[in-house]
């Protein structure tokens, strides 16, 4: 089952998702038996929009932007006992903690003078009220979900760095998993649409963002697997509000591509452990933070 991938195009140049971090192993599979999943993830991102490009942030315009983020995500997911059949259901919640640092040259500042800011604390909560999984066969699975970001983190419109986006965000999502037993390959993909409310503090509204992450892995008998992740975010329309209007809608898109390693191990008493590590640098970006240092590590305990 897929979990959240988050962050700051879009006001701040990133939005709720870092490209290439949303797809997880077995993304389209909702277990047919009741299970509990505890997932811990760590994401590090170091990106920039080069000087010479206007970027909306903190209700103002910046000439370029540099941003560093470190996210710690604790997710609890529960699959419900729905009996036999092709449909299975689950729910989940994620509590995220963020450290973030930003540097920008804001409009009206002395030429060449940059402003720096950092913040840390609990980020906006992420809820998954329902995941509906459908099993086409033992090797083909689909999961439909509704995910909600609530603006529970601290936000100050005068700060460059904030542990919140100060918006509700609704993310309908489709995940699919295809297993190829003979070749020991597995394909996982997640597509979603991010729908933002207006940031009332800055009068900025992000346009809907379409995201797609695809992961292909080769599994080995010792529990290891290796593969590639490719992801993209495409903005569907223009941002709106006084700052966005001055920037002609600040429409953005990006692509990321990189390797992933995973390890699966069965433990005692029906428990299992899944570990993964990926590096997904940006390969193309327009009006979104461009990063060569996007790293994600995850560990999931299933029981």
């Amino acid at each position: 089952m897929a979990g959240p991938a988050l962050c700051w195009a879009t006001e701040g140049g990133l939005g709720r998702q870092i490209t290439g971090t949303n797809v997880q192993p077995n993304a389209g599979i909702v277990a047919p038996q009741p299970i509990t999943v505890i997932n811990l993830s760590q994401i590090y991102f170091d990106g920039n929009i080069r000087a010479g490009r206007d970027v909306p942030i903190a209700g103002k315009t910046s000439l370029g932007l540099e941003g560093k983020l470190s996210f710690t995500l604790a997710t609890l997911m529960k699959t419900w006992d729905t009996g036999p059949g092709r449909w299975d259901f689950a729910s989940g919640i994620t509590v995220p903690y963020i450290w973030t640092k930003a540097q920008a040259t804001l409009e009206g500042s002395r030429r060449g003078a940059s402003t720096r800011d950092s913040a840390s604390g609990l980020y906006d909560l992420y809820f998954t009220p329902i995941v509906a999984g459908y099993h086409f066969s033992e090797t083909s699975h689909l999961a439909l979900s509704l995910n909600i970001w609530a603006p529970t983190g601290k936000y100050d419109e005068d700060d460059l760095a904030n542990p919140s986006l100060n918006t509700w965000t609704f993310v309908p999502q489709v995940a699919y998993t295809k297993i190829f037993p003979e070749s020991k390959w597995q394909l996982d993909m997640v597509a979603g649409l991010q729908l933002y409310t207006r940031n009332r503090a800055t009068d900025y509204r992000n346009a809907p963002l379409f995201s797609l992450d695809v992961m292909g892995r080769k599994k080995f008998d010792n529990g290891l697997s290796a593969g590639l992740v490719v992801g993209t975010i495409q903005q569907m329309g223009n941002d709106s509000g006084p700052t966005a209007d001055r920037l002609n809608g600040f429409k953005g898109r990006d692509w990321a591509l990189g390797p992933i390693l995973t390890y699966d191990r069965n433990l005692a008493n029906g428990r299992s452990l899944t570990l993964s590590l990926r590096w997904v640098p940006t390969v193309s970006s327009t009006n979104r933070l461009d990063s060569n240092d996007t790293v994600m590590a995850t560990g999931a305990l299933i029981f």
Side-chain angles (χ1 to χ4, degrees), residues 144-160:
L144 308 173
S145 63
L146 173 64
N147 309 278
I148 302 170
W149 290 97
T152 56
K154 182 181 177 181
Y155 183 85
D156 188 328
E157 62 184 290
D158 296 323
D159 293 341
L160 287 182

Side-chain angles (χ1 to χ4, degrees), residues 20-26 185-186 188 214-220 224-230 257-263 274-281 294 296-298:
T21 64
N22 202 34
V23 65
Q24 301 293 336
N26 304 319
W185 277 89
Q186 181 169 321
D188 295 285
V214 180
M215 174 172 62
R217 295 180 297 139
K218 170 72 172 182
K219 293 185 172 184
F220 302 99
L224 288 172
S225 68
L228 284 174
V229 176
V230 59
L257 173 68
I260 183 170
L261 293 173
T262 69
Y263 176 71
T274 297
L275 305 174
S276 70
L277 179 66
R278 75 184 72 185
W279 172 56
V280 279
T294 303
M296 181 179 186
T298 64

Side-chain angles (χ1 to χ4, degrees), residues 143-299:
L144 308 173
S145 63
L146 173 64
N147 309 278
I148 302 170
W149 290 97
T152 56
K154 182 181 177 181
Y155 183 85
D156 188 328
E157 62 184 290
D158 296 323
D159 293 341
L160 287 182
N162 274 296
S164 173
L165 286 191
N166 200 38
T167 66
W168 288 87
T169 311
F170 302 92
V171 188
Q173 194 165 263
V174 179
Y176 179 73
T177 294
K178 178 65 176 179
I179 302 169
F180 302 91
E182 293 183 359
S183 62
K184 297 184 180 180
W185 277 89
Q186 181 169 321
L187 178 69
D188 295 285
M189 61 183 69
V190 178
L193 187 64
Q194 303 172 48
L195 305 171
Y196 294 81
T197 61
R198 185 177 298 276
N199 183 341
R200 295 184 181 276
T202 60
D203 196 23
Y204 196 103
R205 182 162 189 166
N206 300 323
L209 300 178
F210 171 77
S211 65
L212 175 65
D213 284 358
V214 180
M215 174 172 62
R217 295 180 297 139
K218 170 72 172 182
K219 293 185 172 184
F220 302 99
D221 293 337
N222 59 2
L224 288 172
S225 68
L228 284 174
V229 176
V230 59
T232 184
I233 289 181
Q234 302 285 329
Q235 185 167 326
M236 304 175 68
N238 294 331
D239 294 344
S240 61
T243 304
D245 293 343
R246 292 200 303 271
L247 301 179
N248 298 316
F250 197 63
K251 189 174 183 179
R253 62 183 181 276
D254 64 6
W255 288 86
L257 173 68
I260 183 170
L261 293 173
T262 69
Y263 176 71
D264 297 298
R265 181 178 178 85
N266 291 324
L267 306 176
N269 301 320
R271 294 178 173 87
S272 62
L273 178 68
T274 297
L275 305 174
S276 70
L277 179 66
R278 75 184 72 185
W279 172 56
V280 279
T282 305
V283 296
S284 176
S285 179
T286 301
N287 287 341
R288 289 181 61 83
L289 290 170
D290 188 319
S291 170
N292 288 322
D293 301 311
T294 303
V295 178
M296 181 179 186
T298 64

